[in-house]
Amino acid sequence: MANTETALKEALTSIEGATGVALVDYTTGMALGTMGGSKTFDLNVAAAGNTDVIRAKMRTMEHLGLKGEIEDILITLSSQYHLIRLLKGRGGNGLFLYLVLDINRSNLAMARHQLKRIEADLEV
């Protein structure tokens, strides 16, 4: 089992093209931990904004009567992938991993696979 800091460091260093990662509480919008980012890309602001994305999707699913759970949400920009993975089990309710990838240096399928593995090892 990995703690938050170890899991974030593993995501940032082992996932090709990763430029930032955060563990976020979507009930509050607060980042519980961040690594990476830059002066022009504040992961705390991105964490709060992506909380709104999750809440909107959950409301839409409720209005549509959809019973499934969100596994992940992908936002594709011209130069980045933003991957939001909701945590399951072991106290993960209300939390998500947020990963920012350089679109030219990453393999999206491998990133999703590795993020799922990191989630399974994460001790919250």
Side-chain angles (χ1 to χ4, degrees):
M1 298 291 165
N3 68 21
T4 300
E5 184 177 342
T6 302
L8 295 177
K9 184 175 182 181
E10 182 179 352
L12 193 60
T13 59
S14 72
I15 299 176
E16 182 111 17
T19 60
V21 63
L23 177 65
V24 185
D25 179 340
Y26 67 77
T27 61
T28 65
M30 298 291 296
L32 304 177
T34 64
M35 283 200 174
S38 67
K39 289 182 199 177
T40 59
F41 191 87
D42 186 329
L43 282 166
N44 290 298
V45 173
N50 283 303
T51 294
D52 293 336
V53 171
I54 292 171
R55 290 177 185 163
K57 186 59 186 173
M58 288 180 163
R59 276 192 310 275
T60 302
M61 289 174 64
E62 184 179 329
H63 291 305
L64 293 171
L66 299 175
K67 302 294 182 206
E69 294 181 348
I70 299 170
E71 184 172 325
D72 58 34
I73 298 171
L74 172 64
I75 300 168
T76 305
L77 304 178
S78 60
S79 63
Q80 297 175 330
Y81 293 124
H82 292 232
L83 186 58
I84 300 166
R85 180 164 185 85
L86 279 70
L87 271 60
K88 310 268 188 287
R90 287 197 320 275
N93 281 349
L95 300 178
F96 67 92
L97 284 167
Y98 171 58
L99 180 66
V100 181
L101 298 162
D102 179 316
I103 205 164
N104 295 313
R105 297 186 303 119
S106 62
N107 178 319
L108 184 57
M110 285 302 296
R112 288 183 73 220
H113 174 73
Q114 289 175 280
L115 200 58
K116 188 174 184 176
R117 182 185 48 77
I118 289 167
E119 173 200 0
D121 291 341
L122 180 61
E123 182 67 38
V124 182

